Amino acid sequence: MVRKKKLNPSGSKGKDGEFHNAHLSLNEDELEAAGLEVGDEVFVRVREDMIIIQKAKNWPERKSVKIETKNTE
């Protein structure tokens, strides 16, 4: 299943007047296809050009990973 989605601004604006959070709405059929339900706990992994959402109970025990962002200026 593939659907194009938009990351919508979320939360309050920062001191610079810009949003710094976003949310994504997933439909019930999308959750079902992923084996998830509304209210499930998930882990979110962020990689370059990728966001991975995984059910928390399936997450293997791993050491913490330090994530650095690239400066795009």
Side-chain angles (χ1 to χ4, degrees), residues 6-67:
K6 182 175 184 173
L7 294 173
N8 295 303
S10 178
S12 58
K13 292 182 179 182
K15 292 180 182 179
D16 60 0
E18 299 292 326
F19 288 102
H20 297 278
N21 295 302
H23 73 268
L24 174 70
S25 294
L26 299 173
N27 295 322
E28 219 170 31
D29 61 336
E30 293 167 320
L31 294 172
E32 183 179 349
L36 297 168
E37 295 180 4
V38 173
D40 282 349
E41 287 188 324
V42 296
F43 286 106
V44 179
R45 292 189 284 167
V46 180
R47 302 288 185 262
E48 188 173 332
D49 299 329
M50 190 181 319
I51 298 173
I52 301 167
I53 301 170
Q54 183 176 5
K55 204 172 211 177
K57 73 177 189 176
N58 295 336
W59 191 263
E61 291 296 322
R62 297 182 185 192
K63 293 181 181 179
S64 296
V65 176
K66 182 179 177 183
I67 298 175

